[in-house]
Amino acid sequence: MIRLDSIGKQNGKQIVFIEASATLLKGEKVGLVGPNGAGKTTLFRLITGEEAPDEGQVSVDRGITIGYFSQDVGEMAGQTVLAAVMDGAGPVSTIAAELRELEAAMVDPDRADEMDAIIERYGEVQGRFEELDGYSLEGRAAEVLAGLGFSQEMIDGDVGKLSGGWKMRVALARILLMRPDVMLLDEPSNHLDIESLIWLEAFLKNFDGALMMTSHDRAFMNRIVNKVIEIDAGTLTSYSGDYEFYAQQRALADKQQQAQFERQQAMLAKEIAFIERFKARASHAAQVQSRVKKLDKIERVEPPRRRQTVAFEFQPAPRSGEDVVSLKNVHKSYGARRIYDGLDFHVRRRERWAVMGVNGAGKSTLLKLVTGATEPDGGSVALGGSVKMAYFAQHAMEVLDGERTVFQALEDAFPQAAQGSLRSLAGCFGFSGDDVEKRCRVLSGGEKARLVMAKMLYDPPNFLVLDEPTNHLDIATKEMLIAALANYEGTMLFVSHDRHFLAALSNRVLELTPDGIHQYGGGYTEYVARTGQEAPGLRN
């Protein structure tokens, strides 16, 4: 369907692709992976024709429809959410618009002399509309929107009043409704809660077209893709299998390359030592010359590129008392909407609570009550003895001083710390070399999240409260964070839509549902086994 033959591409001074080749065949579901800035979005733009390669060729089979979802969502306003989704659904929406025009023309007395031609065209367009299943378009649009978490009130509401995250979901719904031959999805799992993620997972698994996507959600990618294309140093390498298979093969290839590199280095060192030892002796001149020529001809083995994020290790946190936080008979409402009506909840030392619940169930509200960011309407919230708390929420990224550099932000937070220690901290969280001199205002969402986390974890608290800590983080940084938190000695209370994160770190689950609040001993994996569902909103 789509072929990339020996493509070359350069953006400014950055070489993105060098003689890179890959194919996307009918029915393939491909995960596109590679470090940030490797060229994943550029590859999508080459396939859609928004950009052209400097060398080589991008071939797309004739008649193939491509639906491309990117993070760059245009302006949306002046329509209902439902109308906005239906209008962006590709060929079927164009035909629907023509049908409406022809229907208006048929009742226009000024066009009576054209009526035969209008009726004939209407018959043709109507036939094509039926072929494309157009009459079920509105029902399918409503179904897709419901799957992505929209309430009926939102579906009927003005698309212009939605937040950026919900507009992203509208843009994604357009592509899903379009049902193109090929879907290109750039981070479709961003901005989705766990219920919407699981719904999208099922939708994409059942999609009978070809799919190429990027995602920072390892579990999501692993369950959908049957092939992985890796972008690395300008080349494209294909692996048949899911993401786990790719990760294993990648690690194995790196290990083999490292062993090969070390063997060659040992051999080179031996040869060079011989040359240095005997180069001044006339009796060994022929042997020395022979070995010099041999060294010149040897193709050097490169060591594997280091992909792993530097490991971060917590300094020991001060010990808290056994009771970390206690909520007694807590009431909380927003206007007429009651969130909590007599909530009792206790967190004890070294417990790791994952808070589960559908949108609006009160997950973030619970975290705000615990941290004192909001007050209860009734009841009490009390922290235990010797509790040193840190709270990560999305708004924390908005209070970074835009004019300070990454390094200055760390220095401001820890004026007593040695420069080497802060540079090491910055490196752990992906800021190496000149990255520490970037001003906070130019940082991406992921970079801001990493900086806030670095500030939070350097002087370790004994109670971590985390609201969606993995939003904006790439897979490598998530792995580093999970590894660090797995060794953390303190207590945790967190909300996350990342199932890999939930399974790796929780040992308790608090489930918020319309039927009441349920507590489960054991972590997320045990919760799934006991309830038969990956999230409370999926209950039958």
Side-chain angles (χ1 to χ4, degrees):
M1 295 180 92
I2 295 173
R3 288 171 301 286
L4 297 105
D5 295 317
S6 302
I7 58 167
K9 182 70 179 172
Q10 191 165 336
N11 288 337
K13 291 184 179 177
Q14 186 199 3
I15 295 171
V16 186
F17 296 113
I18 312 164
E19 293 190 1
S21 298
T23 58
L24 178 63
L25 303 175
K26 190 172 182 179
E28 281 188 329
K29 293 186 167 63
V30 173
L32 189 60
V33 303
N36 283 345
K40 298 189 287 289
T41 301
T42 301
L43 188 67
F44 283 147
R45 293 170 70 86
L46 288 170
I47 291 171
T48 59
E50 290 175 55
E51 290 187 30
D54 301 331
E55 296 168 1
Q57 193 172 10
V58 178
S59 309
V60 178
D61 287 354
R62 186 172 293 175
I64 293 294
T65 54
I66 296 176
Y68 174 35
F69 168 76
S70 76
Q71 296 293 303
D72 185 17
V73 174
E75 262 307 300
M76 292 183 187
Q79 287 179 297
T80 66
V81 166
L82 184 66
V85 169
M86 288 168 66
D87 271 4
V92 69
S93 62
T94 309
I95 290 166
E98 190 178 350
L99 268 184
R100 287 194 296 272
E101 285 170 16
L102 290 166
E103 283 164 1
M106 283 194 283
V107 294
D108 184 349
D110 295 338
R111 301 185 66 179
D113 54 342
E114 301 172 58
M115 201 52 64
D116 288 347
I118 290 170
I119 289 168
E120 186 182 343
R121 178 61 185 157
Y122 186 80
E124 291 167 5
V125 174
Q126 192 177 38
R128 180 69 181 131
F129 192 62
E130 283 174 0
E131 267 178 43
L132 291 171
D133 200 15
Y135 286 107
S136 70
L137 187 65
E138 186 170 328
R140 287 195 289 114
E143 193 181 318
V144 167
L145 286 166
L148 291 175
F150 287 82
S151 66
Q152 190 58 51
E153 188 182 349
M154 291 171 80
I155 289 171
D156 296 334
D158 183 349
V159 69
K161 292 182 178 173
L162 296 178
S163 67
W166 284 100
K167 282 180 179 172
M168 287 273 187
R169 295 193 196 201
V170 171
L172 178 58
R174 283 176 159 181
I175 305 300
L176 302 183
L177 186 63
M178 180 181 170
R179 297 201 292 207
D181 299 310
V182 177
M183 266 193 220
L184 306 178
L185 303 180
D186 194 1
E187 296 293 345
S189 51
N190 277 4
H191 306 286
L192 296 185
D193 52 49
I194 194 166
E195 290 82 12
S196 303
L197 258 179
I198 292 164
W199 177 87
L200 180 59
E201 199 172 88
F203 185 98
L204 294 177
K205 272 200 258 190
N206 293 324
F207 173 60
D208 55 9
L211 168 70
M212 183 183 280
M213 71 171 187
T214 63
S215 176
H216 289 158
D217 188 314
R218 181 175 180 152
F220 177 74
M221 174 123 45
N222 202 42
R223 294 180 191 201
I224 295 167
V225 306
N226 52 29
K227 176 177 170 181
V228 171
I229 295 177
E230 180 190 57
I231 305 180
D232 192 19
T235 62
L236 295 170
T237 309
S238 297
Y239 297 80
S240 292
D242 60 14
Y243 183 85
E244 289 301 323
F245 177 78
Y246 152 75
Q248 289 163 8
Q249 293 299 111
R250 176 77 265 182
L252 186 63
D254 277 358
K255 195 175 175 183
Q256 289 170 343
Q257 192 175 340
Q258 182 66 30
Q260 220 180 334
F261 171 74
E262 287 170 5
R263 280 197 302 273
Q264 190 182 68
Q265 289 299 302
M267 181 272 290
L268 292 174
K270 198 172 168 186
E271 293 293 321
I272 290 164
F274 179 90
I275 292 164
E276 287 299 314
R277 187 175 170 195
F278 295 111
K279 67 182 177 185
R281 297 191 192 179
S283 59
H284 286 73
Q287 281 176 286
V288 167
Q289 277 303 106
S290 168
R291 294 196 182 200
V292 167
K293 284 178 184 172
K294 178 182 160 189
L295 285 190
D296 287 342
K297 287 177 185 171
I298 287 174
E299 193 174 327
R300 298 294 197 266
V301 175
E302 294 292 325
R305 277 176 287 278
R306 295 292 172 207
R307 287 167 189 78
Q308 292 303 312
T309 308
V310 185
F312 174 78
E313 290 182 14
F314 280 93
Q315 298 169 32
R319 183 182 168 126
S320 71
E322 287 302 312
D323 292 315
V324 174
V325 68
S326 178
L327 288 78
K328 290 181 181 169
N329 195 30
V330 165
H331 294 257
K332 183 67 184 175
S333 298
Y334 291 112
R337 197 160 136 257
R338 185 169 291 173
I339 308 292
Y340 293 117
D341 191 7
L343 169 66
D344 290 312
F345 177 52
H346 303 277
V347 177
R348 292 178 176 81
R349 192 173 77 86
R350 299 197 69 177
E351 289 181 340
R352 294 157 172 251
W353 284 93
V355 184
M356 308 283 297
V358 297
N359 268 341
K363 300 186 295 291
S364 293
T365 300
L366 176 65
L367 270 48
K368 287 176 183 172
L369 287 165
V370 165
T371 57
T374 193
E375 294 292 322
D377 300 334
S380 65
V381 179
L383 286 181
S386 306
V387 171
K388 181 183 174 188
M389 180 169 58
Y391 175 36
F392 177 89
Q394 299 305 305
H395 69 77
M397 300 191 291
E398 294 159 20
V399 297
L400 290 169
D401 183 340
E403 293 309 308
R404 305 296 279 168
T405 65
V406 167
F407 192 73
Q408 286 168 338
L410 294 175
E411 275 189 318
D412 294 345
F414 309 109
Q416 306 301 316
Q419 286 220 348
S421 170
L422 292 183
R423 285 192 182 277
S424 169
L425 172 69
C428 287
F429 283 86
F431 297 104
S432 54
D434 294 340
D435 288 343
V436 294
E437 300 307 324
K438 280 186 180 176
R439 294 200 186 278
C440 291
R441 61 180 157 76
V442 303
L443 298 180
S444 67
E447 287 170 326
K448 285 178 180 174
R450 295 202 308 265
L451 177 56
V452 170
M453 226 163 267
K455 287 170 66 176
M456 191 174 76
L457 301 181
Y458 181 65
D459 182 19
N462 52 32
F463 182 34
L464 279 176
V465 181
L466 309 172
D467 195 355
E468 295 288 5
T470 62
N471 272 7
H472 307 291
L473 299 186
D474 61 25
I475 288 177
T477 309
K478 280 186 196 178
E479 294 297 339
M480 179 277 287
L481 184 63
I482 288 170
L485 292 175
N487 295 318
Y488 170 64
E489 294 285 317
T491 306
M492 287 171 63
L493 176 69
F494 61 91
V495 172
S496 176
H497 66 249
D498 189 297
R499 286 161 290 174
H500 183 49
F501 188 89
L502 289 166
L505 296 173
S506 59
N507 60 23
R508 301 279 189 284
V509 172
L510 182 73
E511 182 191 59
L512 312 176
T513 75
D515 307 327
I517 291 165
H518 311 286
Q519 300 187 19
Y520 295 86
Y524 176 71
T525 305
E526 290 87 344
Y527 163 82
V528 173
R530 284 175 66 181
T531 63
Q533 297 287 359
E534 292 186 293
L538 302 174
R539 288 277 169 79
N540 294 323

